[in-house]
Amino acid sequence: MTVVASGAAQLAPSIPKQKSGSLIGLLLVAAPVLLVVCLIIWPIISAIGRTLWLPDASGAYSFSLRTYVFFFTDKYSLANLRVTLWTTGMVMAILLVVCLPLALYLRFATGRLPAYVQGLAIFPLFVPSVILAYAFIRVLGPNGTVDLLLNAVHLPKIKTPYLTPWGPVIGLVWDNIPLTVLILVSGLGNITNAAVEAARDCGAGPLRVFWYIILPKLGNSILVAMSFTILGLFSAFTLPYVLGPASPEMMGPYMQRTFSGNNDPSNAITQAVVSFAFCILFGLFYVRSVAKNQRKA
């Protein structure tokens, strides 16, 4: 009885401390949660509401889907959406082809050279999009550096990707290389050299090591990189606006032109809501992957 009483006496003071600790934790979380609600969630809800409650001829507001009906029946709007999805798919495919071997090299290579390679891979992070677009035009644009060099050796000019759908693809790939490489290198940090060496000792070749040892642990990092890149591509404006064609155009320039050029905020907000819906669709794969990994852990 004495032991039980003393144990209860020691436990009793800890209960208020736990409650006070939980209260402090809630207060610390409340500020960023309130900020997210005010700056992100509420504007989203407000934007969706503005596309569903529209004024009629008499000026009275009522529930209507006419802006969404217009978007999904307008050939130009659908063409812009297809170009955006096509650009997103091409950029993601090229980023994986370029950044995955680069990340593998940076993770497993030794010596001083990988440090210089990593510096070059991160360099685009410090180049503003406007400067990148100007450099792209001066190098790959009509009568640019490449054309001058080809002309100097009496070779035919190349067909410039400037003002074509490939222009934004090249610029956006360059712009997203640093973040993708950093995320993949971080994911490769979870793979120990001992696991790779053990697989090699068992006779596994480079492809088997990559498929059975590296790729299973890198899948979540690839999904994170894809999610961040897709969100950035749907909100991209400068590179698609400067390097891309006037028609069809990506959703970023299309929204801006609809809002300011056509003075049509209702349809511009509808385009933003449609873009947000696609971003949510891609984001669900990321959230599902994170939840699955937490359950496994």
Side-chain angles (χ1 to χ4, degrees), residues 1-13:
M1 294 293 293
T2 304
V3 175
V4 174
S6 61
Q10 294 176 358
L11 183 62

Side-chain angles (χ1 to χ4, degrees), residues 13 48 101 171 205 229 269 281:
I48 295 174
T229 304
I269 296 174
L281 182 63

Side-chain angles (χ1 to χ4, degrees), residues 50-138:
R50 291 178 63 181
T51 61
L52 296 176
W53 295 90
L54 301 172
D56 53 18
S58 62
Y61 282 83
S62 61
F63 180 80
S64 175
L65 294 174
R66 67 171 182 264
T67 56
Y68 292 97
V69 172
F70 173 79
F71 181 89
F72 288 105
T73 55
D74 180 51
K75 292 182 178 180
Y76 186 68
S77 299
L78 294 178
N80 293 335
L81 180 60
R82 282 194 297 268
V83 166
T84 303
L85 294 175
W86 177 85
T87 303
T88 302
M90 293 303 301
V91 170
M92 288 308 310
I94 297 174
L95 280 175
L96 287 178
V97 171
V98 172
C99 296
L100 188 54
L102 185 58
L104 290 170
Y105 171 77
L106 294 176
R107 169 62 181 84
F108 295 105
T110 57
R112 299 179 60 181
L113 183 59
Y116 295 108
V117 173
Q118 184 173 4
L120 290 175
I122 299 176
F123 175 73
L125 188 65
F126 307 99
V127 180
S129 298
V130 176
I131 304 301
L132 171 60
Y134 176 77
F136 179 98
I137 296 171
R138 297 303 303 166

Side-chain angles (χ1 to χ4, degrees), residues 186-251:
S186 176
L188 288 169
N190 297 325
I191 302 171
T192 61
N193 292 332
V196 176
E197 292 173 0
R200 289 175 178 172
D201 292 339
C202 294
L207 290 178
R208 286 184 175 271
V209 171
F210 173 75
W211 188 260
Y212 293 104
I213 303 298
I214 297 176
L215 193 58
K217 292 183 177 294
L218 195 60
N220 188 58
S221 297
I222 293 176
L223 191 58
V224 171
M226 290 178 62
S227 301
F228 279 103
T229 304
I230 288 171
L231 293 176
L233 293 176
F234 267 88
S235 61
F237 174 77
T238 302
L239 293 176
Y241 181 77
V242 177
L243 302 179
S247 175
E249 54 191 341
M250 290 183 64
M251 293 301 294

